[in-house]
Amino acid sequence: MQKKLSNITNAYRLSNEIANGLDGVAIDKYNAHYQIQFFNKNSTECEQKLIETLKNTFSPEFIAVKYRFKNYSEIKTVFGNDSKTIVEENGCKFAVDLLDTLNPGLFLDMREARMLFGKMCKGKEVLNLFAYTCSFSVFARKNGALKAVNVDISKKNLNKGKENYLLNEIEALQGEFFCGSSEEYVDWAAKKGKKFGAIAIDPPSFAKNGKKTFSVAKNFESLAAKAVSILENNGVLLLATNYSEWSGETLMKMAKNAFAQNYKKFSVLAKGTESSMNYLILIPATAHRF
């Protein structure tokens, strides 16, 4: 599996918790940078052994350790000096910083979805909600999207998205970066009668915006329904979530409800599950398949 992935990317998960015999531990590779994540305190007993194994096996430039216990988080450097690197994935480049936050700038479990969605965006205007560092838009623009509007409440995230545009020699167009609420942007677009040829919705489980909080459990279906209302008849909609309480079946139910609220049905172009992430790529049922 790792050999196959190495043909398309230099960023992937080396070990995924109990599935690889390391309960509560995940190890990720980002170019020559590595991170070890511990999800419970007991799993840290093997920390030093894992660090030495990475050093001896991969000749790393940098290693970060991240503790992600319940109600506790910490990041520390255990080897190397520069936490920043550039990774490549299916012909695109992304800036990564292992010390910036618990999430270094690129979610590895959305690799396939990024590629598939991007290929469906040629000639379309794209809306990327909860854009984070704009990876969906990078793939969309590299595959011929006319424009990609990135919406995120974090100016810092959008600045990283701009950096990723530069890395991929993509000229940022006017209006491609909007710092604000995804829900408010969709409401504005609906009010103005604005339509998009492709929309990506990949929110965090919870997102605070001032006094308001977006919750996947409470708000995802409503946002998806509004997105369907501004999706062109031959448009593409990506729905994704890593919310631990939802299965792929739950996400499919949310999709059906969202389209039903717009008196529409849909066809599934792609679906997938990677780790705790579920995603769907959909088109209105009357649209022609790609």
Side-chain angles (χ1 to χ4, degrees):
M1 179 66 174
Q2 291 171 8
K3 185 177 181 180
K4 182 180 178 181
L5 281 175
S6 65
N7 293 328
I8 61 173
T9 182
N10 59 4
Y12 47 85
R13 178 150 290 184
L14 291 171
S15 180
N16 190 28
E17 299 192 67
I18 198 168
N20 298 101
L22 291 170
D23 190 14
V25 182
I27 304 173
D28 299 313
K29 166 183 168 65
Y30 295 89
N31 197 359
H33 286 43
Y34 296 80
Q35 68 176 18
I36 307 171
Q37 300 186 80
F38 294 103
F39 295 96
N40 62 63
K41 193 171 183 178
N42 292 336
S43 62
T44 62
E45 295 176 357
C46 62
E47 177 178 332
Q48 197 55 45
K49 184 177 181 179
L50 289 175
I51 293 169
E52 292 306 315
T53 298
L54 287 178
K55 287 181 180 179
N56 295 332
T57 306
F58 298 104
S59 301
E61 294 178 5
F62 187 87
I63 303 175
V65 171
K66 302 184 178 183
Y67 306 102
R68 308 185 69 163
F69 314 150
K70 186 175 181 180
N71 300 321
Y72 177 78
S73 63
E74 181 188 351
I75 308 172
K76 70 178 183 181
T77 301
V78 295
F79 181 77
N81 298 308
D82 189 356
S83 62
K84 296 180 180 180
T85 189
I86 305 298
V87 302
E88 297 186 22
E89 176 185 299
N90 288 306
C92 294
K93 298 179 181 179
F94 299 96
V96 166
D97 185 348
L98 295 190
L99 293 186
D100 186 37
T101 64
L102 288 173
N103 300 311
L106 187 69
F107 291 112
L108 303 181
D109 51 10
M110 289 301 288
R111 182 187 304 109
E112 183 178 58
R114 281 190 287 269
M115 178 187 68
L116 295 174
F117 180 79
K119 288 181 177 179
M120 297 172 190
C121 291
K122 184 177 181 179
K124 297 182 181 296
E125 189 167 337
V126 179
L127 177 60
N128 185 10
L129 302 174
F130 303 96
Y132 189 42
T133 58
C134 309
S135 59
F136 281 112
S137 297
V138 168
F139 271 91
R141 288 290 307 274
K142 291 286 281 187
N143 280 278
L146 300 177
K147 184 178 182 179
V149 179
N150 299 283
V151 182
D152 199 280
I153 59 174
S154 169
K155 185 176 181 180
K156 179 180 178 181
N157 285 343
L158 292 177
N159 284 337
K160 291 180 181 178
K162 292 176 182 179
E163 182 181 356
N164 286 332
Y165 267 44
L166 288 173
L167 283 173
N168 291 279
E169 300 180 342
I170 298 171
E171 181 182 356
L173 305 175
Q174 185 175 0
E176 281 202 286
F177 296 92
F178 179 83
C179 187
S181 162
S182 291
E183 293 173 292
E184 291 175 0
Y185 189 92
V186 170
D187 287 339
W188 171 86
K191 184 177 180 180
K192 294 292 185 179
K194 175 69 176 175
K195 298 282 187 176
F196 290 89
I199 301 175
I201 307 178
D202 179 17
S205 297
F206 300 94
K208 289 187 177 181
N209 180 25
K211 295 182 179 180
K212 296 182 179 180
T213 299
F214 177 91
S215 163
V216 165
K218 296 179 180 179
N219 307 116
F220 188 95
E221 182 181 313
S222 173
L223 180 61
K226 291 177 180 179
V228 172
S229 75
I230 62 172
L231 183 69
E232 293 177 350
N233 288 333
N234 64 340
V236 177
L237 176 65
L238 179 140
L239 302 177
T241 179
N242 65 348
Y243 182 49
S244 60
E245 300 298 318
W246 280 16
S247 63
E249 290 75 18
T250 306
L251 183 61
M252 183 68 76
K253 181 181 178 180
M254 294 297 110
K256 290 178 179 178
N257 292 343
F259 275 81
Q261 289 179 47
N262 289 277
Y263 306 100
K264 293 181 179 181
K265 294 183 180 181
F266 61 83
S267 297
V268 179
L269 293 181
K271 61 181 179 179
T273 298
E274 181 67 32
S275 185
S276 61
M277 175 64 73
N278 293 291
Y279 74 86
L280 296 167
I281 301 179
L282 315 166
I283 56 172
T286 56
H288 295 291
R289 289 184 175 274
F290 291 80

